[in-house]
Amino acid sequence: KCRTKAEDILVLPLDVSQCDTHKDAVQTVLDKFDHIDILLNNAGRGMRAKWWEVDLKVDRELWELNVLGTVSLTHCVLPHMMKRRQGHVVAVSSLSGHFRT
């Protein structure tokens, strides 16, 4: 039996690389649920090319998504978790970061 009700669900589309939207997104969640128990950082993109042949613009986009986006969103959520003295931040990564070609 599922005990989840419609009011227990919030679908909030978010572009993790758009750091200027994170604070408002976190506030939207807090307005609806009063707290955040878990932040699951599961956004990212890889690149399958010879790195030295890739334009710097691509590196910048990857950095903004894979690193700064996660850091920014965590910065917005963490103070609320610390105030409650509970919560979890989970970082999901790809195995491709562990392989050499």
Side-chain angles (χ1 to χ4, degrees):
K1 293 182 180 181
C2 182
R3 296 180 183 180
T4 303
K5 302 175 199 122
E7 60 265 17
D8 295 332
I9 299 170
L10 173 65
V11 177
L12 187 63
L14 180 68
D15 183 340
V16 177
S17 65
Q18 299 298 315
C19 296
D20 58 331
T21 65
H22 294 174
K23 185 176 178 181
D24 289 340
V26 168
Q27 191 58 54
T28 299
V29 173
L30 291 171
D31 289 345
K32 178 155 178 77
F33 298 111
D34 293 324
H35 64 275
I36 297 174
D37 293 317
I38 300 171
L39 170 61
L40 177 63
N41 287 311
N42 187 32
R45 189 176 77 210
M47 177 184 59
R48 298 192 187 275
K50 294 176 182 171
W51 179 69
W52 58 90
E53 295 178 355
V54 174
D55 189 86
L56 183 61
K57 179 183 175 195
V58 174
D59 287 325
R60 183 171 282 118
E61 289 171 359
L62 289 172
W63 182 263
E64 288 175 2
L65 173 64
N66 297 344
V67 178
L68 291 181
T70 297
V71 169
S72 171
L73 197 51
T74 303
H75 270 265
C76 292
V77 171
L78 198 57
H80 304 285
M81 290 180 174
M82 291 173 64
K83 184 177 178 181
R84 291 179 58 227
R85 300 182 60 94
Q86 64 184 60
H88 301 279
V89 177
V90 179
V92 176
S93 182
S94 167
L95 284 177
S96 64
H98 298 282
F99 292 109
R100 293 183 196 175
T101 56

